[in-house]
Amino acid sequence: MRSSSPRVRALSGAAPGRIRVSAQSGRICRIITGVLLLFLVASAQASIVFIQGSGNPAFNQRFTELLQSHLGDQVLVRPFSDDARAYPKAPVVTLGPEALTDFLETDKSHPVFALLVNRRMVSGFRGSDEVNQSLTSLYYDPPLLRQALIGRSLLPQATRVSLLARPDDRSSYDALIDELARFGLEARVFLVTGEDVLIQTLTRALSFGDFLLATPDDVIYNPRTIKHILLTTYRRNRLVVGPGHAFVRAGVLASSYAPLTGYARESAEMVRSFLDSGRLPPPAYPTAFDIEVNTQVARSLNIPLPDQSEIIKGIRELLEQSTAERQP
């Protein structure tokens, strides 16, 4: 087939030139940005921290502002880009599961602070020798001991706690069972071998426990299963605590959670510790927490609700007392 007219050939031949100019401009901008970053770090004698954000730009900006305010002027907080590879020792903060997964698929050289992810996910990544020494986290899911103490605060006569778990996870709850025993709570794990036996297993669990302690296992607790779990539980006049405050709106009685401002502050403290010492702090749960309670569910179950500040105060005192008792 013959080529098109000279005018068409001229137009089609112009496009690659424009693309090359645009690509060249992009490279120039990146170079200028990198040089400017070097200048800012050198002139201010500042440290630099990169952020791999979530899919929510507004949230990323808000969290960046909070982190920057707690780290102070001597630390520059910037979005992660190709230029960050010039700073292999600079820490990278990832926001959420997708950001962490995407980052570790392409970069394992930077020290990583995994935020807004649960302990299960972090433990999975830290199981890899390639990642273990370069990854830490401030977990976002609440610790199960605290969740169980919320259940006891709302149901003071409770002495037994039920948990659902997949067979492969059974042993991971042994330490929790021992901890709960120190608070006068007997816990038992009921194994869910498949979704087809979930409700059957739940029924057996409810015949034992005074309340169900929901865990951050999204195979058992997810938008598809939670309605059936709640209906079965409340028909037997039992309550559910956890696994997170998002489930409270679905009908769970209560859960603790980390308020964003406190979470950002403690995240900044972990990052600052690394910048000062050069050593990654171990993964940890945030100490600041709040409680969300579904008052409508409480009324339907005839559960009197103490003031939430009193619940928080009481739980803090129990945890501090337990820690003091274990000190040598």
PDB file of all heavy atoms in Angstrom, residues 157-175:
ATOM      1  N   GLN A 157     -18.971 -10.007  84.211  1.00  0.00           N
ATOM      2  CA  GLN A 157     -19.117 -11.373  84.709  1.00  0.00           C
ATOM      3  C   GLN A 157     -18.484 -12.414  83.801  1.00  0.00           C
ATOM      4  O   GLN A 157     -18.456 -13.602  84.129  1.00  0.00           O
ATOM      5  CB  GLN A 157     -20.604 -11.713  84.909  1.00  0.00           C
ATOM      6  CG  GLN A 157     -21.408 -11.883  83.629  1.00  0.00           C
ATOM      7  CD  GLN A 157     -21.959 -10.574  83.077  1.00  0.00           C
ATOM      8  OE1 GLN A 157     -21.430  -9.498  83.389  1.00  0.00           O
ATOM      9  NE2 GLN A 157     -23.022 -10.663  82.286  1.00  0.00           N
ATOM     10  N   ALA A 158     -17.956 -11.984  82.644  1.00  0.00           N
ATOM     11  CA  ALA A 158     -17.383 -12.924  81.682  1.00  0.00           C
ATOM     12  C   ALA A 158     -16.123 -13.584  82.245  1.00  0.00           C
ATOM     13  O   ALA A 158     -15.276 -12.922  82.847  1.00  0.00           O
ATOM     14  CB  ALA A 158     -17.055 -12.212  80.375  1.00  0.00           C
ATOM     15  N   THR A 159     -16.014 -14.885  82.035  1.00  0.00           N
ATOM     16  CA  THR A 159     -14.829 -15.634  82.466  1.00  0.00           C
ATOM     17  C   THR A 159     -14.241 -16.473  81.333  1.00  0.00           C
ATOM     18  O   THR A 159     -13.126 -16.969  81.446  1.00  0.00           O
ATOM     19  CB  THR A 159     -15.160 -16.574  83.635  1.00  0.00           C
ATOM     20  OG1 THR A 159     -16.197 -17.485  83.233  1.00  0.00           O
ATOM     21  CG2 THR A 159     -15.624 -15.780  84.857  1.00  0.00           C
ATOM     22  N   ARG A 160     -14.992 -16.625  80.216  1.00  0.00           N
ATOM     23  CA  ARG A 160     -14.515 -17.480  79.127  1.00  0.00           C
ATOM     24  C   ARG A 160     -14.637 -16.761  77.788  1.00  0.00           C
ATOM     25  O   ARG A 160     -15.611 -16.044  77.531  1.00  0.00           O
ATOM     26  CB  ARG A 160     -15.302 -18.796  79.093  1.00  0.00           C
ATOM     27  CG  ARG A 160     -15.106 -19.629  80.363  1.00  0.00           C
ATOM     28  CD  ARG A 160     -15.656 -21.020  80.223  1.00  0.00           C
ATOM     29  NE  ARG A 160     -17.106 -21.035  80.082  1.00  0.00           N
ATOM     30  CZ  ARG A 160     -17.839 -22.150  80.077  1.00  0.00           C
ATOM     31  NH1 ARG A 160     -17.246 -23.330  80.188  1.00  0.00           N
ATOM     32  NH2 ARG A 160     -19.149 -22.084  79.950  1.00  0.00           N
ATOM     33  N   VAL A 161     -13.627 -16.969  76.959  1.00  0.00           N
ATOM     34  CA  VAL A 161     -13.531 -16.279  75.667  1.00  0.00           C
ATOM     35  C   VAL A 161     -13.358 -17.319  74.564  1.00  0.00           C
ATOM     36  O   VAL A 161     -12.561 -18.249  74.700  1.00  0.00           O
ATOM     37  CB  VAL A 161     -12.331 -15.308  75.642  1.00  0.00           C
ATOM     38  CG1 VAL A 161     -12.270 -14.559  74.306  1.00  0.00           C
ATOM     39  CG2 VAL A 161     -12.401 -14.341  76.812  1.00  0.00           C
ATOM     40  N   SER A 162     -14.097 -17.137  73.478  1.00  0.00           N
ATOM     41  CA  SER A 162     -13.976 -18.028  72.319  1.00  0.00           C
ATOM     42  C   SER A 162     -13.273 -17.317  71.176  1.00  0.00           C
ATOM     43  O   SER A 162     -13.478 -16.123  70.964  1.00  0.00           O
ATOM     44  CB  SER A 162     -15.360 -18.486  71.843  1.00  0.00           C
ATOM     45  OG  SER A 162     -15.993 -19.276  72.808  1.00  0.00           O
ATOM     46  N   LEU A 163     -12.455 -18.070  70.448  1.00  0.00           N
ATOM     47  CA  LEU A 163     -11.803 -17.558  69.242  1.00  0.00           C
ATOM     48  C   LEU A 163     -11.994 -18.561  68.117  1.00  0.00           C
ATOM     49  O   LEU A 163     -12.033 -19.773  68.342  1.00  0.00           O
ATOM     50  CB  LEU A 163     -10.306 -17.349  69.458  1.00  0.00           C
ATOM     51  CG  LEU A 163      -9.857 -16.332  70.500  1.00  0.00           C
ATOM     52  CD1 LEU A 163      -9.535 -17.014  71.815  1.00  0.00           C
ATOM     53  CD2 LEU A 163      -8.613 -15.575  70.005  1.00  0.00           C
ATOM     54  N   LEU A 164     -12.109 -18.035  66.903  1.00  0.00           N
ATOM     55  CA  LEU A 164     -12.142 -18.867  65.710  1.00  0.00           C
ATOM     56  C   LEU A 164     -10.803 -18.722  64.991  1.00  0.00           C
ATOM     57  O   LEU A 164     -10.272 -17.623  64.872  1.00  0.00           O
ATOM     58  CB  LEU A 164     -13.273 -18.438  64.773  1.00  0.00           C
ATOM     59  CG  LEU A 164     -14.709 -18.505  65.321  1.00  0.00           C
ATOM     60  CD1 LEU A 164     -15.689 -18.008  64.256  1.00  0.00           C
ATOM     61  CD2 LEU A 164     -15.073 -19.910  65.768  1.00  0.00           C
ATOM     62  N   ALA A 165     -10.277 -19.838  64.502  1.00  0.00           N
ATOM     63  CA  ALA A 165      -8.999 -19.791  63.797  1.00  0.00           C
ATOM     64  C   ALA A 165      -8.930 -20.902  62.766  1.00  0.00           C
ATOM     65  O   ALA A 165      -9.583 -21.937  62.896  1.00  0.00           O
ATOM     66  CB  ALA A 165      -7.840 -19.926  64.781  1.00  0.00           C
ATOM     67  N   ARG A 166      -8.122 -20.663  61.741  1.00  0.00           N
ATOM     68  CA  ARG A 166      -7.840 -21.723  60.768  1.00  0.00           C
ATOM     69  C   ARG A 166      -6.795 -22.672  61.358  1.00  0.00           C
ATOM     70  O   ARG A 166      -5.978 -22.250  62.186  1.00  0.00           O
ATOM     71  CB  ARG A 166      -7.347 -21.103  59.466  1.00  0.00           C
ATOM     72  CG  ARG A 166      -8.448 -20.389  58.689  1.00  0.00           C
ATOM     73  CD  ARG A 166      -7.889 -19.721  57.458  1.00  0.00           C
ATOM     74  NE  ARG A 166      -7.172 -18.493  57.772  1.00  0.00           N
ATOM     75  CZ  ARG A 166      -6.277 -17.917  56.984  1.00  0.00           C
ATOM     76  NH1 ARG A 166      -5.948 -18.500  55.844  1.00  0.00           N
ATOM     77  NH2 ARG A 166      -5.698 -16.795  57.339  1.00  0.00           N
ATOM     78  N   PRO A 167      -6.812 -23.939  60.964  1.00  0.00           N
ATOM     79  CA  PRO A 167      -5.899 -24.921  61.569  1.00  0.00           C
ATOM     80  C   PRO A 167      -4.436 -24.499  61.564  1.00  0.00           C
ATOM     81  O   PRO A 167      -3.721 -24.720  62.554  1.00  0.00           O
ATOM     82  CB  PRO A 167      -6.131 -26.184  60.717  1.00  0.00           C
ATOM     83  CG  PRO A 167      -7.544 -26.046  60.247  1.00  0.00           C
ATOM     84  CD  PRO A 167      -7.749 -24.577  60.021  1.00  0.00           C
ATOM     85  N   ASP A 168      -3.967 -23.876  60.490  1.00  0.00           N
ATOM     86  CA  ASP A 168      -2.552 -23.485  60.409  1.00  0.00           C
ATOM     87  C   ASP A 168      -2.185 -22.390  61.403  1.00  0.00           C
ATOM     88  O   ASP A 168      -0.999 -22.197  61.700  1.00  0.00           O
ATOM     89  CB  ASP A 168      -2.213 -23.005  58.990  1.00  0.00           C
ATOM     90  CG  ASP A 168      -2.237 -24.144  57.983  1.00  0.00           C
ATOM     91  OD1 ASP A 168      -2.263 -25.316  58.415  1.00  0.00           O
ATOM     92  OD2 ASP A 168      -2.242 -23.862  56.770  1.00  0.00           O
ATOM     93  N   ASP A 169      -3.193 -21.673  61.927  1.00  0.00           N
ATOM     94  CA  ASP A 169      -2.925 -20.555  62.835  1.00  0.00           C
ATOM     95  C   ASP A 169      -3.122 -20.920  64.305  1.00  0.00           C
ATOM     96  O   ASP A 169      -2.945 -20.063  65.173  1.00  0.00           O
ATOM     97  CB  ASP A 169      -3.847 -19.374  62.498  1.00  0.00           C
ATOM     98  CG  ASP A 169      -3.516 -18.736  61.170  1.00  0.00           C
ATOM     99  OD1 ASP A 169      -2.361 -18.868  60.733  1.00  0.00           O
ATOM    100  OD2 ASP A 169      -4.405 -18.125  60.553  1.00  0.00           O
ATOM    101  N   ARG A 170      -3.503 -22.142  64.578  1.00  0.00           N
ATOM    102  CA  ARG A 170      -3.859 -22.520  65.949  1.00  0.00           C
ATOM    103  C   ARG A 170      -2.774 -22.160  66.960  1.00  0.00           C
ATOM    104  O   ARG A 170      -3.050 -21.559  68.004  1.00  0.00           O
ATOM    105  CB  ARG A 170      -4.150 -24.023  66.008  1.00  0.00           C
ATOM    106  CG  ARG A 170      -4.297 -24.609  67.421  1.00  0.00           C
ATOM    107  CD  ARG A 170      -5.470 -23.982  68.154  1.00  0.00           C
ATOM    108  NE  ARG A 170      -5.578 -24.449  69.512  1.00  0.00           N
ATOM    109  CZ  ARG A 170      -4.871 -23.965  70.545  1.00  0.00           C
ATOM    110  NH1 ARG A 170      -4.008 -22.972  70.345  1.00  0.00           N
ATOM    111  NH2 ARG A 170      -5.039 -24.435  71.756  1.00  0.00           N
ATOM    112  N   SER A 171      -1.538 -22.493  66.681  1.00  0.00           N
ATOM    113  CA  SER A 171      -0.460 -22.291  67.652  1.00  0.00           C
ATOM    114  C   SER A 171      -0.141 -20.814  67.884  1.00  0.00           C
ATOM    115  O   SER A 171       0.457 -20.466  68.912  1.00  0.00           O
ATOM    116  CB  SER A 171       0.800 -23.019  67.196  1.00  0.00           C
ATOM    117  OG  SER A 171       1.245 -22.520  65.947  1.00  0.00           O
ATOM    118  N   SER A 172      -0.532 -19.943  66.963  1.00  0.00           N
ATOM    119  CA  SER A 172      -0.203 -18.528  67.113  1.00  0.00           C
ATOM    120  C   SER A 172      -0.997 -17.859  68.241  1.00  0.00           C
ATOM    121  O   SER A 172      -0.684 -16.725  68.618  1.00  0.00           O
ATOM    122  CB  SER A 172      -0.452 -17.780  65.798  1.00  0.00           C
ATOM    123  OG  SER A 172      -1.827 -17.792  65.460  1.00  0.00           O
ATOM    124  N   TYR A 173      -1.979 -18.560  68.780  1.00  0.00           N
ATOM    125  CA  TYR A 173      -2.788 -17.990  69.866  1.00  0.00           C
ATOM    126  C   TYR A 173      -2.393 -18.537  71.236  1.00  0.00           C
ATOM    127  O   TYR A 173      -3.018 -18.187  72.239  1.00  0.00           O
ATOM    128  CB  TYR A 173      -4.277 -18.243  69.606  1.00  0.00           C
ATOM    129  CG  TYR A 173      -4.767 -17.574  68.345  1.00  0.00           C
ATOM    130  CD1 TYR A 173      -5.006 -18.324  67.191  1.00  0.00           C
ATOM    131  CD2 TYR A 173      -4.955 -16.202  68.289  1.00  0.00           C
ATOM    132  CE1 TYR A 173      -5.436 -17.712  66.021  1.00  0.00           C
ATOM    133  CE2 TYR A 173      -5.373 -15.583  67.120  1.00  0.00           C
ATOM    134  CZ  TYR A 173      -5.610 -16.345  65.993  1.00  0.00           C
ATOM    135  OH  TYR A 173      -6.022 -15.736  64.831  1.00  0.00           O
ATOM    136  N   ASP A 174      -1.365 -19.370  71.301  1.00  0.00           N
ATOM    137  CA  ASP A 174      -0.970 -19.958  72.588  1.00  0.00           C
ATOM    138  C   ASP A 174      -0.541 -18.891  73.585  1.00  0.00           C
ATOM    139  O   ASP A 174      -0.916 -18.934  74.765  1.00  0.00           O
ATOM    140  CB  ASP A 174       0.179 -20.961  72.372  1.00  0.00           C
ATOM    141  CG  ASP A 174      -0.279 -22.226  71.663  1.00  0.00           C
ATOM    142  OD1 ASP A 174      -1.512 -22.464  71.609  1.00  0.00           O
ATOM    143  OD2 ASP A 174       0.576 -22.972  71.152  1.00  0.00           O
ATOM    144  N   ALA A 175       0.258 -17.922  73.119  1.00  0.00           N
ATOM    145  CA  ALA A 175       0.725 -16.872  74.034  1.00  0.00           C
ATOM    146  C   ALA A 175      -0.444 -16.037  74.547  1.00  0.00           C
ATOM    147  O   ALA A 175      -0.485 -15.665  75.730  1.00  0.00           O
ATOM    148  CB  ALA A 175       1.753 -15.981  73.334  1.00  0.00           C
TER     149      ALA A 175
END
